[in-house]
Amino acid sequence: MEMIAKTDCSWSHNTDTAALHSIVQYTELAGMTLVEVMGYTAHAFRIIIDPEAVEVGSYSHFDWKLNHEEALNNLGFSVQYAGKQTNIPPTPEELEEGIQLVQQAIDRGIPALSWDLFIPEWGVIYGYDDNRRVFQCRDVRQDAELPYEKLGRGEVTELYVLGISGYQPVSRRAMLRGALELALRHAEEILPGLEKSKHRNGIAAYDAWIKAFTNRTVEAFGNSVNTVKVWDAREFAVKFLEDVVANWPNEKDRDSSQLRQLASEAAAHYRIVADRLGALVSLFPFPQGGEPNQEAVASRSIELLQDAKAAEVQGVRVLEQMLESLD
């Protein structure tokens, strides 16, 4: 079985978290690594899949405002945002609200998070020229100017901008507790807004993925996108847990050895998850996508996903124990 492993943790296929990491560098938490941001936001434990085609938008099929606000709140930040998660271009009033929010964030010295600047992914807006009415923006496609009027009117015509508005320090222990709570809720409960959707998150997402392969209805490009993003997330989960093992401080009046031991056990389980997903990445390279519905390939993919699910179930159980050890 061909496996790949992530060796460069300075970037991520999960562009919202990568963008949040860039933003955090302009705050009181400057210096926080991407591994830490992926872990403490619980985005390293995210997976969302639809059972019909593993369609390209599965990875972003969540309540953006709620998810990003919870993630940033766990780091100690308060946020404000503008826009609606609909495929409808913003009205002139909504556009003006978005422009003002971005300008206010930048005036505080912190870039803003935005969706679909030059491509339907997340990026940052880090400057503006009010006289020329242009923003300076960066996403995975390019670093360039964007006219004000194009905000929320890109490829998918959807306005979404978020800015950090305040900060209250949070202890590392509280951040870890919050991250584990978010990760466990994602693994075990249906995400808000998905109750009536076919998309599934957490452990149930593996069953959805397996169903699509079983029915031979997998869309090649969408599957390659989701595969590389979930693999990338689990590689960061491993690195994050290993970081807890290596660097968790000795705490006064607390025995941290149990927490480190549990983190080591969880990392071992998630290493299996990442390895199985890495084998899927080899089968379905982005963006070509391979042949997911070819008989032998689909059967092999189901085996890999069953292994990944079993390991993640074990990993989640250890995350629960980690959370208990923090109480």
Side-chain angles (χ1 to χ4, degrees):
M1 177 173 58
E2 182 181 359
M3 293 184 184
I4 59 174
K6 189 173 183 67
T7 57
D8 182 0
C9 292
S10 65
W11 66 280
S12 171
H13 287 282
N14 292 278
T15 56
D16 62 334
T17 325
L20 291 178
H21 172 252
S22 296
I23 292 168
V24 165
Q25 302 312 304
Y26 293 85
T27 71
E28 291 84 350
L29 294 184
M32 179 174 268
T33 68
L34 181 54
V35 170
E36 291 173 317
V37 173
M38 286 288 291
Y40 287 122
T41 60
H43 287 179
F45 302 94
R46 186 168 60 189
I47 174 175
I48 306 169
I49 299 290
D50 83 281
E52 293 186 348
V54 197
E55 56 92 15
V56 66
S58 290
Y59 74 93
S60 61
H61 201 89
F62 57 86
D63 186 323
W64 298 348
K65 293 178 179 178
L66 175 62
N67 178 277
H68 292 149
E69 183 169 15
E70 288 181 334
L72 287 167
N73 284 171
N74 197 53
L75 302 183
F77 299 110
S78 53
V79 301
Q80 56 185 15
Y81 38 71
K84 298 176 181 177
Q85 196 171 339
T86 61
N87 291 100
I88 302 173
T91 65
E93 293 77 17
E94 290 170 338
L95 175 62
E96 189 58 33
E97 180 186 1
I99 292 170
Q100 290 180 1
L101 185 150
V102 171
Q103 290 177 333
Q104 289 168 5
I106 294 171
D107 289 345
R108 286 192 293 269
I110 306 174
L113 175 72
S114 184
W115 166 254
D116 192 27
L117 293 166
F118 307 113
I119 190 175
E121 289 280 0
W122 281 280
V124 296
I125 306 176
Y126 62 87
Y128 69 91
D129 184 330
D130 225 7
N131 293 324
R132 298 170 52 231
R133 290 184 61 81
V134 295
F135 289 118
Q136 194 68 35
C137 311
R138 175 175 55 81
D139 68 6
V140 293
R141 174 172 286 180
Q142 61 181 313
D143 186 331
E145 292 181 342
L146 184 80
Y148 285 2
E149 289 69 28
K150 290 288 290 182
L151 188 65
R153 293 168 178 163
E155 291 187 23
V156 293
T157 61
E158 202 161 30
L159 175 65
Y160 176 77
V161 289
L162 177 148
I164 288 176
S165 55
Y167 174 72
Q168 288 291 328
V170 178
S171 71
R172 187 174 180 179
R173 189 178 188 87
M175 278 198 289
L176 181 58
R177 181 185 289 109
L180 291 170
E181 290 172 347
L182 290 172
L184 290 169
R185 192 177 73 197
H186 182 92
E188 300 169 341
E189 302 176 19
I190 297 176
L191 287 177
L194 294 191
E195 297 88 353
K196 297 180 180 179
S197 170
K198 293 181 179 178
H199 288 77
R200 285 294 171 259
N201 57 278
I203 300 299
Y206 287 100
D207 294 325
W209 211 343
I210 289 168
K211 182 176 180 180
F213 275 109
T214 300
N215 293 337
R216 309 294 193 263
T217 55
V218 175
E219 196 275 311
F221 176 70
N223 180 66
S224 73
V225 171
N226 284 284
T227 299
V228 78
K229 287 181 181 290
V230 181
W231 163 76
D232 176 90
R234 292 307 180 273
E235 285 282 352
F236 275 104
V238 175
K239 301 293 192 302
F240 175 69
L241 291 164
E242 290 176 341
D243 183 65
V244 172
V245 176
N247 299 313
W248 192 261
N250 290 316
E251 300 171 287
K252 185 178 180 181
D253 301 325
R254 291 183 183 273
D255 181 6
S256 300
S257 59
Q258 182 187 19
L259 177 64
R260 293 193 192 97
Q261 176 59 36
L262 290 169
S264 179
E265 293 177 20
H269 292 304
Y270 280 100
R271 179 72 267 160
I272 296 172
V273 178
D275 286 347
R276 299 305 183 270
L277 294 174
L280 282 178
V281 171
S282 297
L283 285 173
F284 310 117
F286 173 81
Q288 296 87 357
E291 298 290 340
N293 299 310
Q294 195 272 334
E295 193 71 23
V297 174
S299 296
R300 180 60 180 147
S301 300
I302 291 170
E303 292 176 359
L304 291 168
L305 287 169
Q306 288 172 335
D307 286 351
K309 177 190 173 184
E312 183 130 351
V313 167
Q314 294 299 315
V316 166
R317 289 176 181 171
V318 182
L319 295 186
E320 291 172 344
Q321 293 175 301
M322 286 180 66
L323 182 59
E324 291 173 1
S325 77
L326 289 170
D327 293 334

